[in-house]
Amino acid sequence: MTSSLKIECVGGLWDGRLLDIAVDEFGRLPAVLFDDGGKPYYSLLFDECRILAGNAHEYTGARYVPAAA
């Protein structure tokens, strides 16, 4: 199982930046990325998330977009 995925940020300060995001034991990405102050900074969006055997997750079109204020 992959321990991290490269996910692009779309919009905001990190627009176009590829982040190496750690996934949990099931391949799940964090729903929200927080800034150093603990405020939501980017939220996960994806076109499709398939749940495979053993509860493994597989994303299509995953990206992080600026979190709503």
Side-chain angles (χ1 to χ4, degrees):
M1 175 62 63
T2 303
S3 61
S4 67
L5 295 172
K6 292 203 180 298
I7 305 295
E8 182 178 13
C9 290
V10 179
L13 183 63
W14 292 350
D15 186 38
R17 182 182 286 183
L18 283 176
L19 300 179
D20 195 23
I21 303 293
V23 296
D24 69 9
E25 67 271 16
F26 300 113
R28 292 181 294 211
L29 290 163
V32 177
L33 301 178
F34 296 94
D35 66 14
D36 293 336
K39 294 171 69 175
Y41 195 57
Y42 275 91
S43 297
L44 176 65
L45 274 181
F46 50 85
D47 297 328
E48 179 182 28
C49 178
R50 295 178 51 206
I51 300 175
L52 309 172
N55 202 28
H57 287 58
E58 179 180 273
Y59 297 91
T60 302
R63 64 229 177 250
Y64 281 99
V65 298

